[in-house]
Every structure is written in structure tokens, then in C-alpha cells.
């Protein structure tokens, strides 16, 4: 087989190390910086590259790291897996996503164990599972955002074969699979890329140090490296989409940006494969150009997380006002109403948190609502809290039900965070398993220092390196059968089924959404076609003037139809969906 590596940093020679034998490599003709050699190798054979007589380093494009990112790579034959299901693909329109972390979705923390639970998600009505990052990183347990091998599947999760089994099983249940990928940085430990070439540049600096080289000399090959990785996930593992972490942190001054290039490449692959593929951005820019088609001057990604909707919903539910919530907390019901109808809260408005104006207006007439993801909880919004506490730790079941109805009947593509559907009581905390003692201590101290500024003592902040922190974060499925969890789970099922059955709830016309609210009385109501949704976040009954009657299509608690004056008397901390006929 052909072994090749881009190693422009090598001055004199590159050697392939294969199962203990050394094979001198030659410079590839017409491919600057590339080295190649032919050598016989079977699936699973260990190999690596030595630059100018240096140590054996793993292949930057390694598909498997059996001993972790510091060990040798292993040959992985993509064709050895026999797919059981022909999958036509499943696009983003009409989707309900479910964010899932393999290491804590089950106590076993493996892809195979998670695959055994996929039937629960199909029965719930989920359409796509969104997996948090799977790239290889040092240690066993972590969030995955410190990955250092962008082409390889984390071996403790089961490696690449297990990912194929997981995706195949998901497709058998009718579920699409989305993978979270990180292009804006690599982890601080186990990263061997700088030895090979200019994968990073000091032209820009990021919170993680030198930026990934997307626009400096040598960036053509770096971009090709990241593009190849992204397309490989979609092609070789039959994934349906990718979630792109923190695209606002991609430092890229080129006219044809990396994100545009990636979008075009994915659209091209979709055409070649004959099935829909999509890209979902995480971005804090509040810039609708992120998802505006390339032909219309945009970047051309297919959707983006809408943190403004989350922040407005969170402040309305909890009353919290620290950090970035401050911008939304002055009038949370108004902020929630704006995000339900205008997409972003910050659309050129002043942000106290940032100390400047922020965002750009969304063209609600021409932008389909499904391009925005709406959610009440995510791994970030839970795990980046000091204790990793979910909404269920501080809210009543009624308020959790209100959050569910706003997400699942709202105009945006809904996304749930694992366990949310039954109000899981387990936290989801920040945990790491760094094998470098100095790095482990730096992370531990940094976490405590961060929250000390907000009044938390060191003893209160969970130790990321303590295995118990990860163990506390694993879901407890026995809760699903107990109250109040079972009732909340049934409510999620009902709402998702309603979203699937009623076209008004998947209508992409954002301009058609109409909202009314009372800031002081803490109620909000919105119309979607022939349906009206009302929520009462207050501790007393709210009189909501709907201006007409209608039957109760779904409700949390005992709710009667509007009176003869069209007023809905909605009990405290409850919600209802009403149909005109």
C-alpha cells in the first residue's frame, strides 16, 4: 500500500517505521513537501514516521490510534466493514436533534453501549443524534474538545469500527448521525503536527495559543488536511452532518474562507453520494451570513446554534443575570419574544457584556427558520457552570415543561441535551483525564480560579481530574420510570409527536410567527399557523387574552379552553398548545 505524509519540516529524510522495520521515503514528484513509499501492510499494522532521524511520530492522517495519540498509528481498512443498512440520508428540515456525549451517556462510556440505547431515542421521536467530539485525545475520559488526531476515533470509545457499528445501528432505527468536529484548535497534549509542518501560525493568536494556519504560508495544505478530515467523516462513516465548534475562533483572512471552501466541498460530496449532508455552526457573531447561501454572498453553512434564544429562555426561566445573561435579564420576556420572531436578540444592538454593539439583523422573510437550532440546554450551558447543574436542579417540573414547549413548538430546529427529556437529576460536569501531571494540575487550578472570581470556594468546584466527576455525570436511566421524571418524559414524547404530525410546527416562515407577552405577569403566547402556544412562568394563574377560543391540543396540568371573552386562565408554571379547530 502507499504511505504518504506531508512533512515540509523534514530537511533531509523521512522514514516510514512499519512494524519495527524502516522504509526510506522519497520526495513526491510535483507535490511540494510530500514524501511517499510503497510497503506491504495488513489491517491493524502499526506504523509511524521519523523525520531526519527523530522519534517515531503518528501519522497526521491516522485513522486509528490504538495506544492513544502518542503511540504509533494503525492501518485501518475502511472496506472491511459490511454495512447492514442502505441509508438514503436525512436532511435538517423537520429534524429534532439530540446532543449526546458517548463517555457519559452510559456508565460503560462506549459507542457500542450507546448504540444499544438508540431505540429509546427513536421511540422518543428524535431524528438525529449529535455526537460530541470523538477524535483521539490523551487519557480515557474527557469532553472531547482537546482532540489531537482529527482523523482518528478515540480508542476507549471503541475506535473506528465501533463508530461504524453505531452509525449503522442508528440508521437501522431511522436516526441520522451528526458529529461535532473542532477545527479552531487542537489539544495541549499529544499534538505532533508542528513537527511535520506549519499547521499553526503566529500570524494570529487565540485563547489556545497560535492559531490553526488557515491563511499564512503553507495554509493550502493545512486547509486540505482539515477538509479531508471533514469529508472522511461524512463519506467513510456515513454521517449525515457535522457540527463545527466555535467557528468565530477560526482566524482566516483569505478572500475564499475555509468555511466557504468546506461548505462547497460538502455540497459537492452530497451530490456525489446522492444523499443530503449538512453543516451546523456554533458561532457567537450573531451574523446571518453564516448560513446565507454562497450564491447570495454568504458562507453557505446550513444551520447554526442560536445561543441568543437559549440565553433569553434561560433568564426567563431562572432569573439569572450574571455574565452574558445580563443583556437578556433586564426584560427576559421581551428578549424571548424577540428571539422567537427575529432570530437574534443582538442584531446590531448594544451589548453591555461586550461593551459594544453586536450582531446583524436576520432577513426573516427569506431565511427559513430551520437554519437556527433552538434549545434550552447544551453541554456548554450546563458543563461550564461551576457544578454542572442542569435546569432540573433549580426549576419545578412545570417550568421544565414550559422550556420543552418553547423549544419543541417554536420555529427553530429543536435540539435536546441527553437526559433533558426526563429532567435528569444527574449533573454534567467538566471532567478531564490528562496524562501530563503538570497539565492536569494547571487545568484543576484554572477551573478553581475561574469560579473563585464568582464566589465559589476551591472545595466547592469539582476536580476535573477526579474520576468521580465523570461518574457523577453519567445518566441514571432508572429515573425514567419514576415521578416526576416519567411525566416529563411523556410530555416530551407528546410534543415531539405533535411537531411531526402538525405542519404548522415545522413551517419555516419565521416572519409568520406572532408573539404577545406580559413582562410583569411573566406569560408569553405565540401563534404558529392555526396553533397557539401559551406559557405561564409565574407562581400564580395568568389571564392570557388570546382573542378567541380553541381546543386544548396539549397541556401541562389541568387547563380549560379560553372563556367566552377569549381569555385563557393558565395555571401557575404551566403551558398549553391550542388548536383553532
Amino acid at each position: 500500500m502507499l504511505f504518504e505524509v506531508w512533512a515540509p519540516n523534514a530537511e533531509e529524510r523521512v522514514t516510514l517505521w512499519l512494524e519495527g522495520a524502516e522504509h526510506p521515503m522519497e520526495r513526491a514528484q510535483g507535490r511540494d513537501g510530500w514524501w511517499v513509499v510503497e510497503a506491504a501492510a495488513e489491517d491493524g499494522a502499526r506504523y509511524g514516521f521519523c523525520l531526519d532521524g527523530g522519534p517515531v511520530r503518528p501519522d497526521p492522517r491516522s485513522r486509528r490510534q490504538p495506544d492513544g495519540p502518542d503511540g504509533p498509528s494503525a492501518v485501518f481498512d475502511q472496506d472491511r466493514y459490511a454495512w447492514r443498512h442502505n441509508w438514503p440520508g436525512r436532511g435538517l428540515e423537520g429534524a429534532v436533534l439530540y446532543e449526546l456525549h458517548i463517555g457519559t451517556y452510559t456508565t460503560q462510556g462506549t459507542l457500542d453501549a450507546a448504540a444499544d440505547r438508540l431505540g429509546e431515542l427513536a421511540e422518543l421521536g428524535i431524528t438525529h443524534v449529535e455526537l460530541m467530539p470523538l477524535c483521539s485525545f490523551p487519557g480515557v475520559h474527557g469532553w472531547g474538545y482537546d482532540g489531537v488526531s482529527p482523523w482518528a476515533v478515540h480508542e476507549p470509545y471503541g475506535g473506528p469500527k465501533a463508530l461504524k457499528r453505531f452509525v449503522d445501528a442508528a440508521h437501522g432505527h431511522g436516526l441520522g448521525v451528526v458529529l461535532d468536529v473542532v477545527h479552531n484548535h487542537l489539544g495541549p497534549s499529544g499534538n505532533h503536527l508542528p513537527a511535520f509542518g506549519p499547521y499553526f501560525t503566529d500570524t494570529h493568536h487565540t485563547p489556545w495559543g497560535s492559531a490553526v494556519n488557515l491563511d499564512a504560508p503553507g495554509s493550502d495544505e493545512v486547509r486540505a488536511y482539515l477538509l479531508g478530515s471533514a469529508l472522511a467523516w461524512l463519506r467513510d462513516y456515513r454521517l449525515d452532518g457535522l457540527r463545527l465548534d466555535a467557528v468565530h475562533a477560526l482566524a482566516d483572512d483569505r478572500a475564499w474562507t475555509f468555511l466557504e471552501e468546506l461548505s462547497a466541498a460538502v455540497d459537492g460530496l452530497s451530490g456525489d453520494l446522492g444523499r443530503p449532508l449538512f453543516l451546523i455552526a456554533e458561532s457567537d457573531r450573531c451574523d446571518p451570513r453564516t448560513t446565507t447561501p454562497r450564491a447570495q454572498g454568504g458562507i453557505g453553512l446550513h444551520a447554526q446554534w442560536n445561543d441568543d434564544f437559549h440565553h433569553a429562555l434561560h433568564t426567563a426561566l431562572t432569573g439569572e443575570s450574571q455574565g452574558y445573561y445580563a443583556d437578556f435579564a433586564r426584560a427576559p420576556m421581551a428578549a424571548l419574544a424577540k428571539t422567537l420572531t427575529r432570530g437574534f436578540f443582538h442584531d446590531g444592538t448594544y451589548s453591555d457584556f461586550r461593551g459594544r454593539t453586536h450582531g446583524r439583523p436576520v432577513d426573516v422573510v427569506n431565511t427559513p427558520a430551520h437554519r437556527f437550532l433552538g434549545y434550552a440546554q447544551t453541554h456548554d450551558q450546563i458543563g461550564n457552570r461551576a457544578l454542572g447543574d442542569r435546569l432540573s436542579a433549580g426549576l419545578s417540573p412545570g417550568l421544565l415543561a414550559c422550556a420543552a414547549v418553547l423549544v419543541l413548538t417554536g420555529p427553530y430546529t429543536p435540539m435536546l441535551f441527553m437526559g433533558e427529556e426526563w429532567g435528569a437529576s444527574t449533573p454534567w460536569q467538566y471532567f478531564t483525564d490528562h496524562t501530563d501531571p503538570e497539565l492536569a494540575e494547571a487545568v484543576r487550578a484554572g477551573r478553581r480560579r475561574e469560579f473563585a472570581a464568582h464566589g465559589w470556594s476551591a472545595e466547592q468546584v469539582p476536580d476535573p481530574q477526579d474520576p468521580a466527576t465523570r461518574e457523577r455525570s453519567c445518566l441514571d436511566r432508572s429515573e425514567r420510570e419514576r415521578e416526576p421524571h416519567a411525566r416529563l418524559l411523556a410530555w416530551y414524547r407528546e410534543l415531539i409527536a405533535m411537531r411531526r404530525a402538525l405542519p404548522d410546527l415545522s413551517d419555516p416562515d419565521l416572519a409568520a410567527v406572532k408573539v404577545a407577552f406580559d413582562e410583569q405577569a411573566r406569560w408569553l403566547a405565540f401563534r404558529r399557523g392555526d396553533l397557539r402556544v401559551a406559557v405561564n412562568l409565574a407562581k400564580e394563574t395568568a389571564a392570557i387574552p388570546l382573542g378567541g377560543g380553541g381546543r386544548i391540543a396539549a397541556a401541562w396540568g389541568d387547563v380549560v379552553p379560553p372563556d367566552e371573552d377569549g381569555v385563557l386562565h393558565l395555571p401557575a408554571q404551566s403551558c398549553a398548545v391550542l388548536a383553532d379547530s
Side-chain angles (χ1 to χ4, degrees):
M1 65 177 291
L2 178 67
F3 289 86
E4 54 184 358
V5 64
W6 184 62
N9 284 0
E11 296 181 358
E12 297 181 358
R13 68 185 189 277
V14 177
T15 303
L16 168 68
W17 178 92
L18 177 61
E19 295 287 349
E22 294 186 355
H23 303 263
M25 304 183 75
E26 297 180 352
R27 296 183 187 273
Q29 297 297 317
R31 301 173 65 199
D32 190 36
W34 281 88
W35 299 73
V36 297
V37 68
E38 289 274 0
E42 299 293 331
D43 183 68
R46 306 296 178 89
Y47 74 100
F49 301 107
C50 304
L51 281 60
D52 294 321
V56 177
R57 299 184 186 277
D59 182 359
R61 285 173 166 77
S62 169
R63 299 304 186 90
R64 188 176 174 211
Q65 289 297 123
D67 305 311
D70 288 315
S73 302
V75 173
F76 180 68
D77 185 351
Q78 296 286 351
D79 296 329
R80 288 173 68 95
Y81 183 80
W83 292 93
R84 295 180 295 118
H85 300 100
N86 290 322
W87 180 243
R90 191 160 192 173
L92 199 57
E93 293 185 49
V96 178
L97 279 72
Y98 189 93
E99 190 185 20
L100 184 158
H101 177 260
I102 288 297
T104 49
Y105 188 61
T106 65
T107 55
Q108 299 96 318
T110 66
L111 284 155
D112 286 334
D116 289 341
R117 297 289 184 177
L118 288 172
E120 298 173 0
L121 301 184
E123 189 269 341
L124 178 63
I126 298 299
T127 65
H128 294 77
V129 178
E130 182 177 306
L131 299 174
M132 289 177 61
L134 298 178
C135 293
S136 180
F137 58 87
V140 176
H141 297 298
W143 280 19
Y145 294 94
D146 286 334
V148 292
S149 300
W151 294 60
V153 180
H154 191 50
E155 200 71 18
Y157 290 164
K161 293 180 182 178
L163 177 56
K164 293 196 174 193
R165 291 193 295 269
F166 179 92
V167 174
D168 208 1
H171 290 168
H173 287 288
L175 298 167
V177 182
V178 182
L179 178 63
D180 195 339
V181 296
V182 183
H183 293 146
N184 53 67
H185 74 286
L186 274 77
S189 177
N191 177 11
H192 296 271
L193 293 182
F196 288 89
Y199 283 90
F200 300 88
T201 175
D202 289 331
T203 302
H204 309 282
H205 291 275
T206 75
W208 307 280
S210 297
V212 174
N213 181 13
L214 299 177
D215 58 6
S219 59
D220 284 358
E221 288 289 357
V222 177
R223 289 161 73 123
Y225 173 77
L226 296 175
L227 285 167
S229 168
L231 297 180
W233 292 117
L234 296 168
R235 180 187 61 247
D236 298 337
Y237 295 94
R238 299 194 178 183
L239 298 179
D240 297 270
L242 301 175
R243 183 262 192 186
L244 309 178
D245 182 63
V247 299
H248 53 268
L250 293 171
D252 183 2
D253 288 336
R254 289 171 63 163
W256 178 241
T257 66
F258 169 73
L259 288 177
E260 291 172 272
E261 190 174 358
L262 175 60
S263 169
V266 169
D267 286 348
L269 180 62
S270 175
D272 292 342
L273 297 178
R275 59 182 174 89
L277 301 172
F278 54 85
L279 298 169
I280 302 171
E282 180 200 20
S283 173
D284 73 354
R285 289 198 182 105
C286 292
D287 186 353
R289 290 176 295 189
T290 301
T291 58
T292 299
R294 295 184 307 280
Q296 299 173 24
I299 292 174
L301 304 183
H302 306 91
Q304 61 182 308
W305 280 24
N306 188 351
D307 270 355
D308 277 18
F309 172 76
H310 168 272
H311 298 347
L313 177 56
H314 187 92
T315 55
L317 291 167
T318 68
E320 292 183 12
S321 59
Q322 75 278 11
Y324 45 65
Y325 292 136
D327 287 342
F328 303 82
R330 286 190 296 272
M333 303 304 285
L336 183 56
K338 182 177 181 180
T339 59
L340 281 167
T341 55
R342 308 300 300 177
F344 298 135
F345 177 75
H346 287 302
D347 53 5
T349 56
Y350 187 80
S351 166
D352 286 327
F353 173 68
R354 296 174 176 85
R356 59 172 175 79
T357 55
H358 185 65
R360 185 184 184 99
V362 174
D363 179 357
V364 297
V365 173
N366 296 306
T367 303
H370 74 260
R371 291 194 182 278
F372 300 98
L373 268 62
Y375 38 86
Q377 302 180 75
T378 70
H379 77 273
D380 268 331
Q381 304 303 336
I382 300 171
N384 285 325
R385 298 169 69 84
L387 301 181
D389 48 315
R390 298 168 177 263
L391 287 178
S392 56
L395 299 184
S396 68
L399 288 179
L400 296 177
C402 290
V405 81
L406 287 164
V407 169
L408 290 168
T409 67
Y412 306 124
T413 298
M415 185 180 74
L416 313 181
F417 181 70
M418 61 178 196
E420 171 189 338
E421 69 272 24
W422 72 81
S425 66
T426 49
W428 201 76
Q429 300 177 333
Y430 181 69
F431 52 90
T432 58
D433 188 24
H434 293 302
T435 54
D436 180 339
E438 292 185 6
L439 178 59
E441 180 54 35
V443 170
R444 181 184 296 115
R447 185 79 174 173
R448 289 172 174 171
R449 185 169 55 251
E450 175 187 357
F451 288 104
H454 300 287
W456 296 88
S457 68
E459 294 73 23
Q460 291 175 302
V461 180
D463 178 0
Q465 286 286 121
D466 185 347
T469 304
R470 176 261 170 183
E471 292 165 6
R472 282 191 297 271
S473 301
C474 293
L475 290 173
D476 175 8
R477 279 190 172 70
S478 68
E479 293 182 327
R480 293 162 53 93
E481 311 302 324
R482 305 195 300 268
E483 296 296 350
H485 307 286
R487 182 186 176 197
L488 189 63
L489 179 57
W491 178 241
Y492 271 83
R493 286 196 189 105
E494 182 178 5
L495 291 175
I496 294 173
M498 181 177 292
R499 186 178 185 90
R500 178 178 293 177
L502 302 178
D504 284 342
L505 294 181
S506 56
D507 183 358
D509 187 359
L510 189 54
V513 181
K514 307 300 179 185
V515 178
F517 66 94
D518 187 312
E519 194 72 55
Q520 300 304 314
R522 287 176 50 75
W523 62 259
L524 179 145
F526 61 91
R527 175 180 281 277
R528 304 207 60 204
D530 292 334
L531 299 173
R532 284 168 291 174
V533 180
V535 298
N536 176 17
L537 307 184
K539 295 181 179 179
E540 57 276 333
T541 298
I544 304 177
L546 294 181
R551 65 178 179 85
I552 304 297
W556 181 266
D558 296 325
V559 180
V560 298
D563 61 22
E564 59 185 13
D565 295 321
V567 176
L568 176 69
H569 296 275
L570 193 59
Q573 298 185 351
S574 66
C575 48
V577 180
L578 297 90
D580 285 349
S581 59

